[in-house]
Amino acid sequence: MVTPRERVLAAFEFESTDKVPIHHLGFSSQAASYILGREAYVGGGIQQWREAKALWEGEEAHREFLRRSLQDAYELGVAVVNDILRLHYWRLNEKPAKKIDEYTFLFGDPSSKYVVRRFVPSSELFSIVEEHPPKKNTPISEQFKEAKKYLDEREEWLQKYNPRREDFEETRGLIEKYGREYAIRINGGTVGIGLPTGRIWLLAMVAKPELAARYLDIQVETALKQIRYLAETGVKFLFSGCDIASDNGPCFPPRVFRELVLPRIRRVAEECHKYNMYLLYASDGNLWPIADDLFGQSGIDGYFEIDRRAGMDLRKLREKFPNLVLIGNISSHTLHFGTREEVIEETLSCIREAKRSRGIIVGVSNYVVPGTPRENIIAMLETIQKHR
């Protein structure tokens, strides 16, 4: 009998598979709870709030949070027939300094520098609602000075950073426990400057490219120091990437990507290949303006978070990049707002393309958000089970 791991490895070698491989990128706690039939400890901000609450309650509560989070992530992955397991969701491993109310915690020093985060159950976000001292509208020239200071500090840290084998024991444990049967998603190796990174670094890519280059080099050197140890734990699939595009295209000129980012992604890909690891890259949005570089010249092995609504289509991608493994293309938007029939048709379209073309792993491209109708989630899962 073919294991999920063998199925995924076959897809990466562009061999035929007994079934279409599956990997859904992520689920909100609400969506996962529909599937498991109980409250599920997975998700985004809700997991950060749960961890803050557990840390506030003490070491035993935090250990229980970690145990349950791993168990629920595993059981969810099995329930949705994922061949690649996502065993980690969002974290915020910082003990609050003060509990304001059930949903609100203060982090930092209450007498000087702190942030207040509040959890909103309907959105499952745990966002900063107050910051002290308040952020000022600092002139760009001053922001660049602060960025240079930050880079000086990080480069000094990097010179002293020497990973140890024991730093990766948790990853080793996951691979040993689950990795014989399943492909395991491990995050790392990211090189990029994207929308969540901060406005100053995006500005630097054009106005101060030497600063952006230093910022990216820190990412590269950190990844290069870690990859050997990750390979020793048995990691085979390294999931990297950041949100570098919107529906309208990349958030920087293609020329800048080619000059600054491309050669640095290539270095990480080459290091992964030295250890027989696959490097994958993700971003939402329309990546066509940089597709030839990112998918054709960087050396990456796979692309996930494939944003159908931004024009990233399995058929077009396969025709243009025959050696690129593709993961996803069921839209979170369709699941959230579409009819049951639209969900079924979109799911079937991905399955059909996966059967027509090798090297495709089907799933939700991003995150099954809170408020997604239960019937749409069930329709997608039943369609996959019936037709994969």
Side-chain angles (χ1 to χ4, degrees):
M1 183 178 177
V2 177
T3 66
R5 185 176 191 274
E6 290 169 339
R7 191 173 295 123
V8 173
L9 286 170
F12 272 81
E13 294 299 321
F14 291 85
E15 299 171 354
S16 61
T17 55
D18 62 328
K19 300 176 182 177
V20 172
I22 304 298
H23 180 54
H24 303 293
L25 260 63
F27 291 84
S28 65
S29 180
Q30 183 190 67
S33 299
Y34 290 157
I35 294 163
L36 294 181
R38 56 176 168 78
E39 183 183 11
Y41 269 46
V42 302
I46 190 170
Q47 282 292 92
Q48 295 177 324
W49 169 69
R50 284 169 174 153
E51 184 161 24
K53 187 178 175 185
L55 285 164
W56 179 258
E57 292 170 355
E59 291 184 7
E60 185 175 342
H62 190 236
R63 283 194 295 272
E64 174 59 19
F65 163 81
L66 294 175
R67 184 202 66 78
R68 184 167 174 185
S69 296
L70 176 58
Q71 185 63 28
D72 285 4
Y74 168 73
E75 291 184 10
L76 175 64
V78 173
V80 300
V81 297
N82 269 355
D83 293 291
I84 304 174
L85 292 184
R86 175 179 182 171
L87 296 172
H88 284 132
Y89 278 76
W90 290 17
R91 295 285 307 275
L92 185 61
N93 190 16
E94 178 185 355
K95 184 176 180 178
K98 181 179 180 181
K99 179 179 179 180
I100 298 173
D101 60 39
E102 180 68 12
Y103 294 143
T104 314
F105 290 90
L106 183 148
F107 298 84
D109 185 345
S111 64
S112 58
K113 187 175 182 180
Y114 64 84
V115 298
V116 175
R117 288 179 176 268
R118 180 171 297 131
F119 174 60
V120 179
S122 60
S123 65
E124 296 191 8
L125 293 177
F126 189 44
S127 304
I128 294 175
V129 294
E130 182 184 341
E131 192 166 357
H132 186 83
K135 282 190 175 180
K136 299 177 182 178
N137 190 14
T138 310
I140 295 297
S141 59
E142 290 300 314
Q143 291 185 47
F144 279 132
K145 287 181 182 178
E146 292 174 6
K148 185 178 182 301
K149 181 182 177 182
Y150 168 82
L151 291 171
D152 291 341
E153 292 171 352
R154 293 301 292 174
E155 286 167 348
E156 183 179 350
W157 167 84
L158 185 61
Q159 287 182 352
K160 301 173 184 176
Y161 175 56
N162 290 302
R164 302 167 301 167
R165 190 176 187 272
E166 51 265 37
D167 297 337
F168 301 88
E169 283 306 307
E170 182 184 2
T171 299
R172 186 185 310 279
L174 294 178
I175 300 296
E176 289 177 353
K177 185 172 183 179
Y178 303 107
R180 289 185 177 87
E181 183 175 0
Y182 289 93
I184 306 299
R185 171 180 167 178
I186 299 296
N187 296 329
T190 291
V191 175
I193 294 174
L195 298 170
T197 308
R199 176 170 171 260
I200 193 61
W201 299 112
L202 290 172
L203 288 173
M205 293 183 83
V206 177
K208 298 280 186 179
E210 69 281 4
L211 294 184
R214 289 173 62 189
Y215 184 83
L216 292 165
D217 283 338
I218 291 168
Q219 295 177 349
V220 171
E221 294 305 318
T222 302
L224 296 182
K225 288 186 176 189
Q226 292 174 348
I227 283 170
R228 174 169 68 90
Y229 292 96
L230 289 169
E232 285 181 0
T233 70
V235 171
K236 188 69 175 176
F237 309 95
L238 195 59
F239 282 65
S240 73
C242 60
D243 290 333
I244 58 176
S246 69
D247 288 356
N248 296 321
C251 51
F252 37 69
R255 172 190 59 80
V256 171
F257 178 83
R258 184 174 303 116
E259 293 173 358
L260 281 175
V261 186
L262 174 63
R264 291 170 171 87
I265 294 178
R266 189 183 292 127
R267 282 187 65 197
V268 175
E270 289 170 351
E271 189 71 9
C272 285
H273 296 160
K274 276 173 52 178
Y275 293 97
N276 296 314
M277 293 167 60
Y278 295 111
L279 180 66
L280 298 90
Y281 203 92
S283 174
D284 293 321
N286 174 12
L287 297 174
W288 283 116
I290 59 170
D292 285 337
D293 288 329
L294 179 58
F295 303 139
Q297 301 298 323
S298 70
I300 66 168
D301 302 285
Y303 163 40
F304 63 109
E305 282 191 18
I306 304 172
D307 195 339
R308 174 187 287 256
R309 298 187 75 244
M312 308 307 294
D313 176 79
L314 289 178
R315 174 73 62 91
K316 293 177 184 177
L317 286 161
R318 173 52 70 243
E319 291 173 352
K320 180 76 172 175
F321 304 104
N323 300 316
L324 182 70
V325 174
L326 304 170
I327 301 178
N329 220 213
I330 299 173
S331 169
S332 300
H333 184 276
T334 303
L335 271 179
H336 191 192
F337 294 108
T339 65
R340 184 177 184 276
E341 290 70 27
E342 288 169 337
V343 169
I344 291 171
E345 179 52 38
E346 188 161 305
T347 304
L348 281 173
S349 73
C350 294
I351 291 174
R352 291 188 195 107
E353 188 57 38
K355 289 181 175 180
R356 191 185 78 91
S357 307
R358 297 182 182 182
I360 292 178
I361 298 169
V362 169
V364 179
S365 272
N366 199 301
Y367 187 67
V368 184
V369 299
T372 299
R374 185 197 305 252
E375 57 269 23
N376 283 0
I377 298 172
I378 293 171
M380 176 189 69
L381 296 177
E382 288 181 345
T383 301
I384 288 171
Q385 192 79 317
K386 182 177 179 181
H387 295 282
R388 66 179 293 209

